[in-house]
């Protein structure tokens, strides 16, 4: 299992466009990918679940990746968060 934290820097937080891009990336991997923010948890492969987190600028998101391709998935997600959010 791989885990990392990221603090949202985008002034709009995780809104529709980056949430959609995030889901596209997560669906490329077989691993289970979970996001935790403000006491809520979401399956990162489901757009509505990601949006329901309500992650805003300054919020800390914990990303947990578990599965056979977890190292590759975690690396891709870290890059995504740094670039997009």
């Amino acid at each position: 299992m791989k885990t990392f934290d990221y603090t949202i820097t985008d002034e709009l937080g995780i809104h529709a466009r980056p949430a959609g891009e995030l889901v596209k990336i997560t669906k490329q991997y077989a691993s289970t990918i979970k996001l935790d923010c403000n006491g809520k948890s979401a399956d990162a492969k489901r757009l509505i679940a990601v949006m329901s987190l309500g992650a805003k600028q300054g919020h800390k998101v914990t990303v947990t990746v578990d599965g056979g391709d977890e190292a590759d998935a975690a690396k891709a997600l870290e890059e995504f968060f740094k670039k997009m959010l």
Side-chain angles (χ1 to χ4, degrees):
M1 180 174 8
K2 301 275 186 189
T3 302
F4 68 90
D5 293 327
Y6 184 78
T7 301
I8 304 296
T9 57
D10 186 292
E11 63 186 29
L12 299 175
I14 301 180
H15 55 93
R17 187 177 51 79
E21 292 295 319
L22 175 65
V23 170
K24 275 190 209 177
I25 292 169
T26 60
K27 288 187 175 187
Q28 296 173 10
Y29 299 96
S31 293
T32 300
I33 303 169
K34 186 176 84 165
L35 304 178
D36 294 297
C37 182
N38 296 326
K40 295 181 184 177
S41 184
D43 177 351
K45 294 183 180 183
R46 298 181 56 224
L47 180 62
I48 298 300
V50 172
M51 296 290 297
S52 73
L53 288 175
K56 305 287 185 208
Q57 183 179 33
H59 289 175
K60 183 178 91 170
V61 176
T62 301
V63 180
T64 306
V65 185
D66 189 20
D69 55 1
E70 65 189 28
D72 292 336
K75 181 179 177 187
L77 290 170
E78 277 191 87
E79 290 172 6
F80 169 79
F81 272 87
K82 289 176 184 173
K83 184 173 92 174
M84 292 292 293
L85 297 168

